[in-house]
Structures are given as C-alpha cells and as structure tokens.
Amino acid sequence: MQVALVHEWFNEVAGSEKCVGEFNTLYPDADIYTLVDWLDDTRRQSLLAGKQTNTSFIQRLPFARKHFRQYLPLFPIAIEQFNLDKYDLVLSSSHLVAKGVLTHHGQLHVCYCHTPVRYAWDMYHDYLRGGNLQNGGVKSWLSRRTLHHLRLWDVLSSNRVDHFIANSHYIRKRIQKIYRREAHVIYPPVDTDRFSLSTDKDDYYLAFSRLVPYKRIDLIVQAFAHTSRRLLVVGNGPEMERLRSMATLNIELLGFQDDQQVAHLMQQAKALVFAALEDFGIIPVEAQACGTPVICLNQGGTAETVIHGVTGIHFPEQTVEAIRQAVDTFEAQQATFDPERISEFAQKFSVTRFRQDINQHIGKLLEQKI
C-alpha cells in the first residue's frame, strides 16, 4: 500500500506536527507533502526520522521563509498542484488547506482535522479587529475578500475528503456545523511519558502558554493580582510587557523555560490555571500526567480533557471573576483531588493510545473501501 501524508507546513514542532510525526511512525514508507518546510536537521530527525518532504511552489517565493503566511491567497491552488494519483491512502493533517488535495475515486482520503479554518469562520471578526481591519480601507477590503473566497473553497474542498477524524468532540461539532460532515473523534497524542507523577505539591499556581492574546493569560494575572496566592507564569510572547504592568508582588513572570524545568514546575504546582478556548489543549493534559489538577474553561477541548471535581475545576466563562471563583472552589476542595487518579486519567491521551486508535480506525476504513 502506498501512502501519502499531507500537512500545511513545517516551520515549528507543535501539536499538529506531532500528529504527522506519529502518522509517519505508523507509515514509515509514506511520502510527505507540505506547502513549505523549514525544519532544521535536529527537529527533522526527531519528528520525521530525518525524512525529506515534497514542498509546493510557495517554498520558492520571495521572503517565504519568514513571511510564507502572507501568501495565504495562493495556498488553495498550491495544495491542488500535488499529484497524488499513485497513492492508495492519502492521510491529511489539516487546519487550513491540507484537506484540499486532489484525489480520485480509487483512493481513500482520510483527514485528521485539527479545526476548520478559525480566522475564516468563527474567529473572523476577531481576526479583523486584531489586525485593525474592520474599519475599511484597501487592506481591509483585500482581507475580507480573501477570507470570503477561502470560506467558499474550504466548504468545497471538504467534499474531497472521504472520512474526517476530529481531534475532539468540540471540533467534531464544528465540522458538522461548517462542512455538514460527520467525524470520528480521536484525541491527539500527548507525550505523557515525559511527565512523571508527583504527589508532593508546592504552594503555588502555574500558568503556562505562549503569551498571545487568545490564551487569556491576562485574565489569570488579573484574577491573582492583589491576592495572597502565588502565581508563576511561564512563557514568552508579545503580551509579556502588558502582563508585567498587571502583575503584583505575588505573581512571577518567568519567561521561557526549557522542557525539563516546565515539567518540574508542573509536578510541583498545586494546580495549573488555563483560560484559553482551545480545540484540544495539550498543556492541561501534560499537567494532569504529573498528577496536578487543572482549573480551566468549561468550553472547547478542556471541557473534555478535564473532569470537573475529579481532575480539576471548570469555570463557565473567560472572566476574571469566574477564574477567582474557580480558584476559591479549588482551595475548598483541594484535599479531595487524588494525584494518582489524575495521572491515570491523563493516560487516555497518550501516544500509544493515539497510534492504536488511528491504526485501528484507518484499518476499518480500508477494509470498507475494499
């Protein structure tokens, strides 16, 4: 069986890239196709076992290395230029255009969908507002026109997929809403083995993510400001200076920390506080693998990956007051949380489980195709 793996781009190693890495482990002889690939040798070896990828014409355009996203209007036509006729199975990892590759009736195209294009659909107005594009002008008009055409192509290209796999029930519902397609849910792989259980907790809360607006670290900082509760914030990003201006003496902004230090901080924290609306959310699962409870939003992926009252506490909305109340609830119930039970729950999101589920599900789809 000849297999092709398709992914939007390789310029960093985040959650979606790790999924492709696992697909490559399952199908070591597969060819990989992507719009652009900027992985260095070290990351290529760890993620793809050193395998080279097939890239699109976007790779060769001026300034593509740093600004390839500026070529968004060309992405649909670029992904359609890959000739995948010889493959029996096409497995796409898609959050934008990877699902839009062209296949014929004799092939099986399975799409592992991380999300329908967020900034073209439910975050469209947030995207315009964040880019100061909502008030007219040539740039605003061009952006709106580009996203309008992307929405049309996005729905059209969803019909090229034979079977969708969603990375959470939250994304399954979005696929049904936008594409009118059903999807099978398989949670993405989390390297839970990298995090060891610790029952010895220190007296601090932890917030960890990239410091970008949608992660809502600002709400967490405000919720802890002027309290006696110690909060450690790990991560870097454009929000750093704004967060510094909000922080009081009980809040420490630690900036970037390496993987070993992050794991140690997660193990020792009394709880992780996580306010982002995520499609899945790997960080809360990593914290639970350490036996650390999670205080998080009861929406999106974290509504599924954290069990209220068992592995953490949910809050209903992204507000300072909701986070404060959730922390109060956690403090009142802290003694009831069992680190061993929390760590055991996290294993349902392990790499081993992901490989088994993907292999089994695609095997059934191939049998049905035959």
Side-chain angles (χ1 to χ4, degrees), residues 164-181:
F164 276 100
I165 301 174
N167 71 353
S168 66
H169 289 279
Y170 173 62
I171 294 303
R172 178 188 62 80
K173 293 176 182 177
R174 295 192 66 238
I175 290 171
Q176 203 284 325
K177 169 70 175 178
I178 295 170
Y179 302 148
R180 304 301 180 185
R181 298 288 303 277

Side-chain angles (χ1 to χ4, degrees), residues 125-299:
H125 295 289
D126 291 334
Y127 172 79
L128 294 178
R129 185 166 50 252
N132 197 25
L133 299 170
Q134 75 273 36
N135 295 322
V138 174
K139 189 175 181 181
S140 173
W141 181 83
L142 288 173
S143 297
R144 293 170 189 268
R145 184 176 184 275
T146 296
L147 293 177
H148 169 73
H149 285 286
L150 179 59
R151 280 191 293 273
L152 297 177
W153 182 88
D154 191 39
V155 173
L156 174 67
S157 63
S158 70
N159 292 316
R160 302 172 187 174
V161 176
D162 295 309
H163 297 276
F164 276 100
I165 301 174
N167 71 353
S168 66
H169 289 279
Y170 173 62
I171 294 303
R172 178 188 62 80
K173 293 176 182 177
R174 295 192 66 238
I175 290 171
Q176 203 284 325
K177 169 70 175 178
I178 295 170
Y179 302 148
R180 304 301 180 185
R181 298 288 303 277
E182 292 302 319
H184 180 77
V185 176
I186 297 178
Y187 291 117
V190 181
D191 188 6
T192 53
D193 291 342
R194 189 165 67 87
F195 301 88
S196 56
L197 169 66
S198 174
T199 58
D200 183 21
K201 303 299 182 183
D202 205 338
D203 189 25
Y204 65 83
Y205 292 87
L206 178 68
F208 168 47
S209 82
R210 288 179 294 120
L211 303 186
V212 293
Y214 89 92
K215 295 292 188 178
R216 303 316 312 263
I217 298 294
D218 58 329
L219 297 180
I220 299 172
V221 169
Q222 291 175 66
F224 278 81
H226 304 290
T227 71
S228 59
R229 294 164 177 161
R230 186 182 176 205
L231 173 68
L232 304 184
V233 180
V234 173
N236 253 332
E239 290 276 280
M240 175 63 85
E241 291 308 313
R242 179 168 173 258
L243 296 174
R244 287 192 194 281
S245 69
M246 300 176 181
T248 51
L249 293 177
N250 60 308
I251 300 172
E252 300 176 49
L253 276 71
L254 302 180
F256 171 80
Q257 302 290 314
D258 62 28
D259 289 347
Q260 184 176 359
Q261 183 62 13
V262 167
H264 175 73
L265 290 169
M266 280 187 174
Q267 288 172 326
Q268 299 301 309
K270 63 196 301 184
L272 174 81
V273 188
F274 194 84
L277 175 60
E278 294 280 19
D279 303 326
F280 174 73
I282 287 177
I283 290 173
V285 176
E286 292 175 339
Q288 290 174 99
C290 299
T292 299
V294 178
I295 300 170
C296 63
L297 185 66
N298 190 27
Q299 299 176 38

